[in-house]
Amino acid sequence: MRTVVEPLRARPRPGDQMDRLFAGGWPAFITADRQVGRYLGRVREVFADLELVLLDGDGDLVAAGWAVPLRWDGDPAHLPEGYTDSLRRAVTGHDRDEAPDTLVVMAAQVRSDLRGQGLAGDLLTALRSVAEQRGWSRVIAPVRPTLKARYPLTPIERFAAWTREDGSPLDPWLRTHWRLGARLIAMAPRSQTMTGTVAEWQQWTGLAFPDSGDYVIPDGLSLLRVDLDRDQGTYIEPNVWVQHR
């Protein structure tokens, strides 16, 4: 499929196309990271030009992705803690007038009926091109390995090391990055922390939580810890850091 790349806010986008693009892409609990809410508004304000969409030949939305810039010295020990910390460092760095040198790819979404056609790779390539155009020397991403949800009891370090016979990562999203030349550089075991009441977690997961303890949840990469006395559920999501350049 031939596509055209545009900033998301280059022009108004039809609501039905936006709904179709983002339908079913993320678990309901993904918005329960309370810290993300502190930074997301500023991110969308000051880094709006780093939200990109792919359009097909008819001008319909087929994929979208976004990124943030920050300073990083290339040492894996000095990486952000994960997804949420990347937002924090990007916003605070901007407010301090720090010159960024690294692009962090935060998310990518392909329309559900078009997955498996290489559009995710096209989107990542477009974001990498932005970094090159602006002279940012590194491109990294805290990757959410979607297949990990089938192995919530497996430590992220072990899961990330699993490969297929050809040596490529077992996880399909990690494999997409790998095929573009990215390499795994670190784990992000506490990339995001999602919290909510027991009732909220019941709504998000469709499960009942009759006792306090740890639970396997749909689309969860790790376990949900439920505390009935505190009326709180806490889910800590692991990611995998990859570097493209």
Side-chain angles (χ1 to χ4, degrees):
M1 179 186 299
R2 300 190 63 172
T3 58
V4 175
V5 181
E6 286 186 355
L8 174 63
R9 300 191 191 181
R11 51 196 169 101
R13 306 294 175 182
D16 60 333
Q17 290 189 26
M18 294 289 287
D19 291 344
R20 187 181 183 192
L21 174 59
F22 290 104
W26 303 92
F29 59 76
I30 205 71
T31 60
D33 185 336
R34 312 302 181 185
Q35 293 300 311
V36 166
R38 295 180 57 188
Y39 304 109
L40 204 53
R42 289 294 318 286
V43 165
R44 289 176 170 165
E45 174 189 345
V46 299
F47 306 127
D49 55 339
L50 297 179
E51 293 183 83
L52 302 183
V53 293
L54 298 186
L55 310 176
D56 65 11
D58 295 323
D60 292 340
L61 295 169
V62 296
W66 62 284
V68 296
L70 49 76
R71 285 194 68 79
W72 175 55
D73 61 8
D75 184 344
H78 300 155
L79 282 164
E81 189 171 285
Y83 180 96
T84 307
D85 195 37
S86 295
L87 298 181
R88 180 191 66 80
R89 285 177 54 168
V91 169
T92 56
H94 175 271
D95 291 345
R96 294 171 183 166
D97 291 325
E98 291 180 354
D101 57 14
T102 301
L103 185 72
V104 185
V105 177
M106 301 300 296
Q109 175 82 11
V110 175
R111 210 173 72 192
S112 60
D113 61 320
L114 297 175
R115 291 171 189 165
Q117 299 188 30
L119 292 172
D122 292 345
L123 187 58
L124 291 173
T125 299
L127 288 165
R128 294 196 314 184
S129 296
V130 171
E132 184 175 357
Q133 292 163 9
R134 302 192 182 192
W136 297 334
S137 57
R138 286 174 285 269
V139 177
I140 58 177
V143 175
R144 185 180 196 269
T146 53
L147 194 65
K148 177 71 169 67
R150 299 185 185 180
Y151 307 91
L153 303 181
T154 303
I156 189 63
E157 296 84 358
R158 185 177 177 189
F159 176 83
W162 289 351
T163 60
R164 304 194 305 176
E165 290 184 0
D166 62 359
S168 63
L170 178 66
D171 181 78
W173 190 214
L174 284 173
R175 192 160 61 246
T176 296
H177 288 266
W178 179 83
R179 285 172 173 163
L180 293 173
R183 67 187 191 279
L184 278 61
I185 57 171
M187 299 300 111
R190 303 178 66 88
S191 187
Q192 288 192 265
T193 299
M194 287 76 161
T195 58
T197 65
V198 174
E200 286 175 325
W201 281 104
Q202 289 174 339
Q203 179 181 0
W204 293 331
T205 64
L207 300 177
F209 304 109
D211 291 315
S212 295
D214 294 335
Y215 290 85
V216 173
I217 59 175
D219 298 316
L221 310 192
S222 60
L223 299 179
L224 168 69
R225 174 155 293 185
V226 172
D227 187 327
L228 294 183
D229 292 335
R230 297 178 60 194
D231 189 26
Q232 181 171 296
T234 303
Y235 165 81
I236 299 174
E237 177 153 297
N239 287 173
V240 179
W241 278 110
V242 304
Q243 182 171 2
H244 283 259
R245 47 183 291 229

PDB file of all heavy atoms in Angstrom, residues 152-153 207-217 222-228 232-236:
ATOM      1  N   PRO A 152       1.946 -13.606  31.380  1.00  0.00           N
ATOM      2  CA  PRO A 152       2.041 -12.565  32.418  1.00  0.00           C
ATOM      3  C   PRO A 152       2.914 -12.961  33.611  1.00  0.00           C
ATOM      4  O   PRO A 152       3.353 -12.087  34.356  1.00  0.00           O
ATOM      5  CB  PRO A 152       0.586 -12.350  32.830  1.00  0.00           C
ATOM      6  CG  PRO A 152      -0.091 -13.645  32.519  1.00  0.00           C
ATOM      7  CD  PRO A 152       0.572 -14.141  31.274  1.00  0.00           C
ATOM      8  N   LEU A 153       3.166 -14.251  33.798  1.00  0.00           N
ATOM      9  CA  LEU A 153       3.991 -14.703  34.923  1.00  0.00           C
ATOM     10  C   LEU A 153       5.474 -14.718  34.590  1.00  0.00           C
ATOM     11  O   LEU A 153       6.316 -14.861  35.486  1.00  0.00           O
ATOM     12  CB  LEU A 153       3.558 -16.102  35.367  1.00  0.00           C
ATOM     13  CG  LEU A 153       2.086 -16.274  35.780  1.00  0.00           C
ATOM     14  CD1 LEU A 153       1.823 -17.707  36.209  1.00  0.00           C
ATOM     15  CD2 LEU A 153       1.724 -15.312  36.888  1.00  0.00           C
ATOM     16  N   LEU A 207     -13.701  -8.828  35.173  1.00  0.00           N
ATOM     17  CA  LEU A 207     -13.474  -9.850  36.181  1.00  0.00           C
ATOM     18  C   LEU A 207     -14.038  -9.419  37.527  1.00  0.00           C
ATOM     19  O   LEU A 207     -14.201  -8.231  37.804  1.00  0.00           O
ATOM     20  CB  LEU A 207     -11.971 -10.111  36.346  1.00  0.00           C
ATOM     21  CG  LEU A 207     -11.206 -10.605  35.118  1.00  0.00           C
ATOM     22  CD1 LEU A 207      -9.726 -10.735  35.458  1.00  0.00           C
ATOM     23  CD2 LEU A 207     -11.756 -11.938  34.634  1.00  0.00           C
ATOM     24  N   ALA A 208     -14.306 -10.405  38.386  1.00  0.00           N
ATOM     25  CA  ALA A 208     -14.635 -10.155  39.787  1.00  0.00           C
ATOM     26  C   ALA A 208     -13.379 -10.401  40.622  1.00  0.00           C
ATOM     27  O   ALA A 208     -12.550 -11.250  40.272  1.00  0.00           O
ATOM     28  CB  ALA A 208     -15.757 -11.081  40.246  1.00  0.00           C
ATOM     29  N   PHE A 209     -13.236  -9.655  41.695  1.00  0.00           N
ATOM     30  CA  PHE A 209     -12.077  -9.785  42.575  1.00  0.00           C
ATOM     31  C   PHE A 209     -12.573 -10.030  44.002  1.00  0.00           C
ATOM     32  O   PHE A 209     -12.676  -9.115  44.818  1.00  0.00           O
ATOM     33  CB  PHE A 209     -11.211  -8.532  42.502  1.00  0.00           C
ATOM     34  CG  PHE A 209     -10.755  -8.201  41.110  1.00  0.00           C
ATOM     35  CD1 PHE A 209     -11.273  -7.099  40.433  1.00  0.00           C
ATOM     36  CD2 PHE A 209      -9.846  -9.005  40.455  1.00  0.00           C
ATOM     37  CE1 PHE A 209     -10.862  -6.796  39.146  1.00  0.00           C
ATOM     38  CE2 PHE A 209      -9.437  -8.717  39.159  1.00  0.00           C
ATOM     39  CZ  PHE A 209      -9.943  -7.611  38.504  1.00  0.00           C
ATOM     40  N   PRO A 210     -12.891 -11.294  44.323  1.00  0.00           N
ATOM     41  CA  PRO A 210     -13.487 -11.600  45.624  1.00  0.00           C
ATOM     42  C   PRO A 210     -12.515 -11.538  46.788  1.00  0.00           C
ATOM     43  O   PRO A 210     -12.941 -11.414  47.936  1.00  0.00           O
ATOM     44  CB  PRO A 210     -14.022 -13.019  45.439  1.00  0.00           C
ATOM     45  CG  PRO A 210     -13.198 -13.593  44.344  1.00  0.00           C
ATOM     46  CD  PRO A 210     -12.866 -12.462  43.433  1.00  0.00           C
ATOM     47  N   ASP A 211     -11.205 -11.615  46.514  1.00  0.00           N
ATOM     48  CA  ASP A 211     -10.200 -11.574  47.569  1.00  0.00           C
ATOM     49  C   ASP A 211      -9.086 -10.619  47.185  1.00  0.00           C
ATOM     50  O   ASP A 211      -8.857 -10.348  45.993  1.00  0.00           O
ATOM     51  CB  ASP A 211      -9.577 -12.963  47.791  1.00  0.00           C
ATOM     52  CG  ASP A 211     -10.535 -13.949  48.401  1.00  0.00           C
ATOM     53  OD1 ASP A 211     -11.234 -13.578  49.370  1.00  0.00           O
ATOM     54  OD2 ASP A 211     -10.597 -15.091  47.904  1.00  0.00           O
ATOM     55  N   SER A 212      -8.369 -10.147  48.182  1.00  0.00           N
ATOM     56  CA  SER A 212      -7.135  -9.415  47.907  1.00  0.00           C
ATOM     57  C   SER A 212      -6.087 -10.391  47.375  1.00  0.00           C
ATOM     58  O   SER A 212      -6.064 -11.566  47.739  1.00  0.00           O
ATOM     59  CB  SER A 212      -6.619  -8.744  49.184  1.00  0.00           C
ATOM     60  OG  SER A 212      -7.512  -7.758  49.644  1.00  0.00           O
ATOM     61  N   GLY A 213      -5.221  -9.887  46.500  1.00  0.00           N
ATOM     62  CA  GLY A 213      -4.178 -10.745  45.950  1.00  0.00           C
ATOM     63  C   GLY A 213      -3.842 -10.363  44.528  1.00  0.00           C
ATOM     64  O   GLY A 213      -4.260  -9.307  44.032  1.00  0.00           O
ATOM     65  N   ASP A 214      -3.072 -11.224  43.858  1.00  0.00           N
ATOM     66  CA  ASP A 214      -2.627 -10.994  42.491  1.00  0.00           C
ATOM     67  C   ASP A 214      -3.515 -11.730  41.506  1.00  0.00           C
ATOM     68  O   ASP A 214      -3.881 -12.897  41.735  1.00  0.00           O
ATOM     69  CB  ASP A 214      -1.182 -11.451  42.324  1.00  0.00           C
ATOM     70  CG  ASP A 214      -0.198 -10.616  43.129  1.00  0.00           C
ATOM     71  OD1 ASP A 214      -0.522  -9.453  43.428  1.00  0.00           O
ATOM     72  OD2 ASP A 214       0.880 -11.129  43.476  1.00  0.00           O
ATOM     73  N   TYR A 215      -3.810 -11.053  40.381  1.00  0.00           N
ATOM     74  CA  TYR A 215      -4.702 -11.623  39.382  1.00  0.00           C
ATOM     75  C   TYR A 215      -4.114 -11.468  37.986  1.00  0.00           C
ATOM     76  O   TYR A 215      -3.524 -10.434  37.655  1.00  0.00           O
ATOM     77  CB  TYR A 215      -6.058 -10.912  39.404  1.00  0.00           C
ATOM     78  CG  TYR A 215      -6.900 -11.199  40.624  1.00  0.00           C
ATOM     79  CD1 TYR A 215      -6.730 -10.466  41.798  1.00  0.00           C
ATOM     80  CD2 TYR A 215      -7.869 -12.202  40.602  1.00  0.00           C
ATOM     81  CE1 TYR A 215      -7.505 -10.720  42.916  1.00  0.00           C
ATOM     82  CE2 TYR A 215      -8.656 -12.462  41.718  1.00  0.00           C
ATOM     83  CZ  TYR A 215      -8.467 -11.723  42.874  1.00  0.00           C
ATOM     84  OH  TYR A 215      -9.236 -11.983  43.979  1.00  0.00           O
ATOM     85  N   VAL A 216      -4.309 -12.492  37.160  1.00  0.00           N
ATOM     86  CA  VAL A 216      -4.067 -12.397  35.722  1.00  0.00           C
ATOM     87  C   VAL A 216      -5.263 -11.687  35.103  1.00  0.00           C
ATOM     88  O   VAL A 216      -6.413 -12.056  35.371  1.00  0.00           O
ATOM     89  CB  VAL A 216      -3.891 -13.791  35.093  1.00  0.00           C
ATOM     90  CG1 VAL A 216      -3.802 -13.683  33.564  1.00  0.00           C
ATOM     91  CG2 VAL A 216      -2.651 -14.479  35.650  1.00  0.00           C
ATOM     92  N   ILE A 217      -4.995 -10.654  34.293  1.00  0.00           N
ATOM     93  CA  ILE A 217      -6.084  -9.881  33.691  1.00  0.00           C
ATOM     94  C   ILE A 217      -5.961  -9.891  32.169  1.00  0.00           C
ATOM     95  O   ILE A 217      -4.852 -10.019  31.629  1.00  0.00           O
ATOM     96  CB  ILE A 217      -6.101  -8.426  34.206  1.00  0.00           C
ATOM     97  CG1 ILE A 217      -4.763  -7.731  33.895  1.00  0.00           C
ATOM     98  CG2 ILE A 217      -6.418  -8.388  35.694  1.00  0.00           C
ATOM     99  CD1 ILE A 217      -4.745  -6.245  34.264  1.00  0.00           C
ATOM    100  N   SER A 222       1.578  -8.096  33.013  1.00  0.00           N
ATOM    101  CA  SER A 222       1.978  -8.573  34.330  1.00  0.00           C
ATOM    102  C   SER A 222       0.713  -8.732  35.168  1.00  0.00           C
ATOM    103  O   SER A 222      -0.401  -8.644  34.640  1.00  0.00           O
ATOM    104  CB  SER A 222       2.967  -7.599  34.980  1.00  0.00           C
ATOM    105  OG  SER A 222       2.387  -6.323  35.130  1.00  0.00           O
ATOM    106  N   LEU A 223       0.878  -8.938  36.460  1.00  0.00           N
ATOM    107  CA  LEU A 223      -0.267  -9.213  37.316  1.00  0.00           C
ATOM    108  C   LEU A 223      -0.851  -7.935  37.907  1.00  0.00           C
ATOM    109  O   LEU A 223      -0.145  -6.955  38.145  1.00  0.00           O
ATOM    110  CB  LEU A 223       0.148 -10.144  38.457  1.00  0.00           C
ATOM    111  CG  LEU A 223       0.681 -11.514  38.050  1.00  0.00           C
ATOM    112  CD1 LEU A 223       1.065 -12.316  39.284  1.00  0.00           C
ATOM    113  CD2 LEU A 223      -0.322 -12.284  37.206  1.00  0.00           C
ATOM    114  N   LEU A 224      -2.141  -7.967  38.151  1.00  0.00           N
ATOM    115  CA  LEU A 224      -2.835  -6.909  38.874  1.00  0.00           C
ATOM    116  C   LEU A 224      -2.865  -7.272  40.350  1.00  0.00           C
ATOM    117  O   LEU A 224      -3.251  -8.395  40.705  1.00  0.00           O
ATOM    118  CB  LEU A 224      -4.263  -6.759  38.354  1.00  0.00           C
ATOM    119  CG  LEU A 224      -5.205  -5.890  39.198  1.00  0.00           C
ATOM    120  CD1 LEU A 224      -4.787  -4.426  39.142  1.00  0.00           C
ATOM    121  CD2 LEU A 224      -6.654  -6.076  38.747  1.00  0.00           C
ATOM    122  N   ARG A 225      -2.458  -6.355  41.206  1.00  0.00           N
ATOM    123  CA  ARG A 225      -2.541  -6.577  42.653  1.00  0.00           C
ATOM    124  C   ARG A 225      -3.754  -5.837  43.194  1.00  0.00           C
ATOM    125  O   ARG A 225      -3.864  -4.614  43.053  1.00  0.00           O
ATOM    126  CB  ARG A 225      -1.270  -6.103  43.346  1.00  0.00           C
ATOM    127  CG  ARG A 225      -1.355  -6.162  44.867  1.00  0.00           C
ATOM    128  CD  ARG A 225       0.008  -6.293  45.493  1.00  0.00           C
ATOM    129  NE  ARG A 225       0.606  -7.586  45.177  1.00  0.00           N
ATOM    130  CZ  ARG A 225       1.773  -8.005  45.680  1.00  0.00           C
ATOM    131  NH1 ARG A 225       2.462  -7.229  46.499  1.00  0.00           N
ATOM    132  NH2 ARG A 225       2.256  -9.192  45.354  1.00  0.00           N
ATOM    133  N   VAL A 226      -4.644  -6.569  43.833  1.00  0.00           N
ATOM    134  CA  VAL A 226      -5.879  -6.013  44.369  1.00  0.00           C
ATOM    135  C   VAL A 226      -5.807  -5.991  45.897  1.00  0.00           C
ATOM    136  O   VAL A 226      -5.440  -6.995  46.527  1.00  0.00           O
ATOM    137  CB  VAL A 226      -7.097  -6.836  43.913  1.00  0.00           C
ATOM    138  CG1 VAL A 226      -8.367  -6.378  44.631  1.00  0.00           C
ATOM    139  CG2 VAL A 226      -7.277  -6.724  42.402  1.00  0.00           C
ATOM    140  N   ASP A 227      -6.152  -4.845  46.467  1.00  0.00           N
ATOM    141  CA  ASP A 227      -6.219  -4.677  47.920  1.00  0.00           C
ATOM    142  C   ASP A 227      -7.638  -4.229  48.261  1.00  0.00           C
ATOM    143  O   ASP A 227      -8.003  -3.064  48.081  1.00  0.00           O
ATOM    144  CB  ASP A 227      -5.200  -3.631  48.378  1.00  0.00           C
ATOM    145  CG  ASP A 227      -5.098  -3.521  49.885  1.00  0.00           C
ATOM    146  OD1 ASP A 227      -6.122  -3.723  50.570  1.00  0.00           O
ATOM    147  OD2 ASP A 227      -3.998  -3.208  50.389  1.00  0.00           O
ATOM    148  N   LEU A 228      -8.441  -5.181  48.736  1.00  0.00           N
ATOM    149  CA  LEU A 228      -9.840  -4.859  49.019  1.00  0.00           C
ATOM    150  C   LEU A 228      -9.975  -3.882  50.181  1.00  0.00           C
ATOM    151  O   LEU A 228     -10.871  -3.024  50.174  1.00  0.00           O
ATOM    152  CB  LEU A 228     -10.620  -6.140  49.322  1.00  0.00           C
ATOM    153  CG  LEU A 228     -10.787  -7.139  48.169  1.00  0.00           C
ATOM    154  CD1 LEU A 228     -11.635  -8.314  48.617  1.00  0.00           C
ATOM    155  CD2 LEU A 228     -11.405  -6.480  46.947  1.00  0.00           C
ATOM    156  N   GLN A 232      -8.338  -0.695  46.167  1.00  0.00           N
ATOM    157  CA  GLN A 232      -7.402  -0.259  45.132  1.00  0.00           C
ATOM    158  C   GLN A 232      -6.803  -1.453  44.395  1.00  0.00           C
ATOM    159  O   GLN A 232      -6.486  -2.481  44.991  1.00  0.00           O
ATOM    160  CB  GLN A 232      -6.270   0.565  45.746  1.00  0.00           C
ATOM    161  CG  GLN A 232      -5.252   1.074  44.726  1.00  0.00           C
ATOM    162  CD  GLN A 232      -4.288   2.065  45.328  1.00  0.00           C
ATOM    163  OE1 GLN A 232      -4.678   3.145  45.768  1.00  0.00           O
ATOM    164  NE2 GLN A 232      -3.016   1.712  45.353  1.00  0.00           N
ATOM    165  N   GLY A 233      -6.669  -1.270  43.104  1.00  0.00           N
ATOM    166  CA  GLY A 233      -5.931  -2.212  42.280  1.00  0.00           C
ATOM    167  C   GLY A 233      -4.743  -1.496  41.661  1.00  0.00           C
ATOM    168  O   GLY A 233      -4.867  -0.356  41.211  1.00  0.00           O
ATOM    169  N   THR A 234      -3.600  -2.167  41.644  1.00  0.00           N
ATOM    170  CA  THR A 234      -2.375  -1.585  41.090  1.00  0.00           C
ATOM    171  C   THR A 234      -1.765  -2.555  40.087  1.00  0.00           C
ATOM    172  O   THR A 234      -1.560  -3.737  40.391  1.00  0.00           O
ATOM    173  CB  THR A 234      -1.351  -1.297  42.204  1.00  0.00           C
ATOM    174  OG1 THR A 234      -1.935  -0.434  43.179  1.00  0.00           O
ATOM    175  CG2 THR A 234      -0.108  -0.638  41.629  1.00  0.00           C
ATOM    176  N   TYR A 235      -1.501  -2.035  38.921  1.00  0.00           N
ATOM    177  CA  TYR A 235      -0.915  -2.830  37.835  1.00  0.00           C
ATOM    178  C   TYR A 235       0.318  -2.104  37.341  1.00  0.00           C
ATOM    179  O   TYR A 235       0.255  -0.934  36.959  1.00  0.00           O
ATOM    180  CB  TYR A 235      -1.936  -3.005  36.710  1.00  0.00           C
ATOM    181  CG  TYR A 235      -1.366  -3.480  35.392  1.00  0.00           C
ATOM    182  CD1 TYR A 235      -1.100  -4.828  35.182  1.00  0.00           C
ATOM    183  CD2 TYR A 235      -1.112  -2.582  34.357  1.00  0.00           C
ATOM    184  CE1 TYR A 235      -0.584  -5.265  33.973  1.00  0.00           C
ATOM    185  CE2 TYR A 235      -0.617  -3.010  33.148  1.00  0.00           C
ATOM    186  CZ  TYR A 235      -0.347  -4.353  32.957  1.00  0.00           C
ATOM    187  OH  TYR A 235       0.160  -4.773  31.762  1.00  0.00           O
ATOM    188  N   ILE A 236       1.467  -2.767  37.373  1.00  0.00           N
ATOM    189  CA  ILE A 236       2.726  -2.175  36.920  1.00  0.00           C
ATOM    190  C   ILE A 236       3.121  -2.851  35.612  1.00  0.00           C
ATOM    191  O   ILE A 236       3.328  -4.069  35.575  1.00  0.00           O
ATOM    192  CB  ILE A 236       3.834  -2.333  37.978  1.00  0.00           C
ATOM    193  CG1 ILE A 236       3.416  -1.615  39.273  1.00  0.00           C
ATOM    194  CG2 ILE A 236       5.158  -1.778  37.456  1.00  0.00           C
ATOM    195  CD1 ILE A 236       4.377  -1.821  40.430  1.00  0.00           C
TER     196      ILE A 236
END
